[in-house]
Each structure stands twice: as structure tokens, then as C-alpha cells.
Amino acid sequence: MWTTLATQAAAMHPGGWHDGDAPAFWPVFPITFGLFWLAVLGTAFYLIRRRMNDGAAAARAAADPMTKARSVLAERYARGDIDEDEYHARMAALRNSD
């Protein structure tokens, strides 16, 4: 009698997944979750490195007086303070002083 009831109970409730098998796509969710966090960390690392490199390049450019002189000369030419001939003459003088 008890074995009959146990057999009937097992037949009524086969398992946690209704038919006894787990779905075949279950690995997709943890893999996707892991890839998402790898992408987040990779993006953060990339942005931090880029910011550090930009700061270092700006510091190198600020430390070089010739780069600053060329930059000021280009700004003055862009604003119209000096004409093209004077710009080229001063750039040639800067190149010769290197």
C-alpha cells in the first residue's frame, strides 16, 4: 500500500522542472552576466588609461617650450593677429632655433 502511494506521488510530481529536465539554455545566463561585467571593467580600465595618457601628453607638451611657442604662434595666426608671411617667417625661425 505504501509503495503504491509513493509511486502515485512520484508520478504526480516528477521534479522541479515539470518534466524532469533542466532547460538546455541555462548556461547562457551566467555566461552573459560574466561577459557583461568583463565589458564594464574593460571599459572602465580603458577610460582610466586614456585619461592618464592624455594627462601625461599634456604635461610633456607643457614642459616643452618649443611646442608652447608653436602653439602660441598658431593661435595668433588663427585669431588674425599676424598674417601668413609673418607666421611662416616666425615658424622658420623656430625651426632654425632647434
Side-chain angles (χ1 to χ4, degrees):
M1 172 154 161
W2 289 104
T3 42
T4 324
L5 288 175
T7 307
Q8 288 176 350
M12 291 172 58
H13 186 65
W17 294 100
H18 302 294
D19 61 352
D21 291 332
F25 60 87
W26 74 267
V28 172
F29 297 112
I31 290 171
T32 304
F33 187 72
L35 290 175
F36 169 75
W37 283 111
L38 282 174
V40 168
L41 292 174
T43 302
F45 179 75
Y46 169 74
L47 291 174
I48 289 170
R49 284 295 297 234
R50 194 172 114 193
R51 179 173 278 237
M52 289 173 59
N53 287 342
D54 287 348
R60 281 192 305 270
D64 183 23
M66 294 304 284
T67 304
K68 178 130 175 86
R70 288 183 184 111
S71 173
V72 169
L73 188 59
E75 287 176 18
R76 289 186 62 201
Y77 177 66
R79 281 194 311 253
D81 293 345
I82 58 175
D83 63 350
E84 186 177 359
D85 294 330
E86 187 175 355
Y87 171 75
H88 288 296
R90 290 185 184 211
M91 281 300 279
L94 285 175
R95 269 188 244 113
N96 290 337
S97 68
D98 280 342

